[in-house]
Structure formats: structure tokens, C-alpha cells
Amino acid sequence: ALSPDPETAPPYYTVRAGEPMRKEPGGALLATLPLRSTLRSLSEPDPDGWRRVLHGETEGWVRDEALSNLWIRIDKSERMVYVYRGAELWKTMPADVSATPEGDKIRRAARTESEEHKIPEGTFYVTRRHPESDYYLAFVLSYPTPVHALRGLDEGLISQREYESILAAHREFREPPQGTRLGGLIEIHGNGSGRQRAWTRGCIALRNVHMDDLWEVVQVGTPVIIEP
């Protein structure tokens, strides 16, 4: 029997594409896992760094360094960022937000439309780490999502081809097109004041010391939930 119960075992996800899942530590190959594969942890890592996991109905072993249970929740109204390891709250950070934070992002802002510098809402993942950002450090998020793309298609903001490109990127956990009329380059970045001010152009800004903390643990594929 598996222990703990697979239904309640802690969830993890892979942070490396093509990660091997083996029958036993260092043993025969069972599967090659894509980025962001969901797994259940059935043990703590062994002394050699292998963790016993469940993927679907298959039990095997994966290198612990290829797994993460970190995720980020952003509350726009509270102007706070909450970082979790599984179900446990790990860090809480004050955030600067956009000049017009209320409401979901719908389209790319024009120079004369500052009201469109909104922070999108929904479920995203980190598509890219940007160490040379103009704002100290940055994590680029997977906006626009399929939800934003469908709305944009219905409202005539993007073409069918652009819509399908966005969907394909999300299926493959790639960065979606950033140059459509829906906008892009939504980031969690540094140079924040720590005083919960409103000045960004659709991004979340943290103090540099907090970005340093996140830079050590946030990887491509890390889930990010942005709430109203």
C-alpha cells in the first residue's frame, strides 16, 4: 500500500522539461515528464536526493531538485503578495500596484489611455526569469491566458490565428505572444516601495530585498494566482 494516501499526499510540479521518472532511484526509466507535470509526493527525499512520487496512477522516483510546491497568491485590493509552500504560508510581502488596479486587464494600454494599465486577474505561471530588468529583477507571467484570449477574440481585439497561438503556448507552457492588442509583459518585479503605492503599468512591484528572496526559489513554471 502507498503511504501516505495518494489522495491527500502533498502536490508538487516539475520545474524542468524532460525530467526522467524512474522505477527506483537511478533505475529504469518509467516516463519522461514535461514541465509543470503534477505529482503527488509519497516520501521525503532519500539521502541521494530522490523523492518517491505518484504521477497519474504510476509510482516512481524523481530527483527532488526537479520538483517544487511553491506558488504565489497576489491580492490586488489588499496590495499584498502571499508565497506558499504547498498549503503552508511561507512569506507575506507588501506590493505596489498599477495606477488603476481595479478590474481585469482587457487590452494593451495606449499612451492616452492610462486607465488600461490594469493588472490582469486569474491563474498564471512564470514563463521567464529576467535578471537584467530595468526594475532590478523580474518574473514574466503567462498573460494573456486562454480566458483573456477568448474574450479578446469575441470582442474583435485579436484574430483567430492569434487566439490559437495563445492557446498553443499555454498547452505547451511557453510564453504566450506578447505583442497582440491584449498587451503583455506583465511582471512581478523589483524597485517597489514596500508602501503599497499605485504607480506601475500593470505589474506588481516588490522591494528589492523581497525579490532577492523570491529569486532563490521561484522558477519557470511557478504558479501565480492574481485575485481582485
Side-chain angles (χ1 to χ4, degrees):
L2 295 177
S3 178
D5 182 348
E7 295 297 323
T8 59
Y12 281 75
Y13 58 90
T14 52
V15 296
R16 295 196 300 222
E19 185 62 26
M21 178 178 176
R22 301 192 179 276
K23 187 174 182 179
E24 57 190 24
L29 182 68
L30 288 175
T32 301
L33 303 175
L35 179 70
R36 281 292 301 272
S37 296
T38 301
L39 307 164
R40 292 279 178 177
S41 174
L42 303 178
S43 73
E44 293 299 313
D46 72 6
D48 294 323
W50 291 88
R51 183 185 288 267
R52 187 162 62 99
V53 298
L54 188 69
H55 178 53
E57 297 181 355
T58 303
E59 181 184 343
W61 295 80
V62 175
R63 297 291 297 183
D64 188 59
E65 63 190 20
L67 302 176
S68 178
N69 64 348
L70 191 89
W71 60 284
I72 298 170
R73 180 171 68 89
I74 298 169
D75 189 311
K76 292 198 300 183
S77 61
E78 292 183 1
R79 302 185 182 186
M80 293 294 296
V81 173
Y82 302 94
V83 187
Y84 296 82
R85 290 187 180 276
E88 300 297 323
L89 181 62
W90 178 57
K91 285 187 180 292
T92 302
M93 307 171 179
D96 291 353
V97 296
S98 67
T100 51
E102 295 80 14
D104 198 2
K105 184 173 181 64
I106 296 174
R107 60 178 177 173
R108 181 179 62 236
R111 293 182 183 276
T112 58
E113 296 174 334
S114 61
E115 70 275 7
E116 290 298 331
H117 286 302
K118 294 184 180 295
I119 298 168
E121 299 167 1
T123 301
F124 308 87
Y125 56 89
V126 174
T127 64
R128 178 161 41 104
R129 289 159 50 96
H130 188 8
E132 298 179 355
S133 168
D134 291 339
Y135 297 94
Y136 187 61
L137 300 170
F139 303 111
V140 182
L141 303 185
S142 59
Y143 175 86
T145 69
V147 172
H148 297 95
L150 180 59
R151 183 175 60 200
L153 180 65
D154 290 343
E155 296 180 2
L157 292 173
I158 61 173
S159 66
Q160 182 69 32
R161 183 175 181 179
E162 289 173 321
Y163 171 74
E164 292 173 357
S165 294
I166 293 169
L167 263 59
H170 277 265
R171 282 196 304 269
E172 300 165 13
F173 289 107
R174 293 185 287 106
E175 189 165 294
Q178 300 291 288
T180 73
R181 292 175 66 192
L182 301 179
L185 289 179
I186 302 300
E187 299 177 340
I188 301 171
H189 61 61
N191 286 359
S193 68
R195 299 179 181 178
Q196 300 173 305
R197 293 175 173 170
W199 60 271
T200 76
R201 302 183 67 182
C203 297
I204 296 292
L206 301 176
R207 292 177 60 204
N208 290 352
V209 66
H210 289 150
M211 283 300 297
D212 286 337
D213 290 340
L214 292 184
W215 197 256
E216 296 298 318
V217 293
V218 171
Q219 304 185 58
V220 171
T222 295
V224 178
I225 298 172
I226 304 180
E227 300 174 340

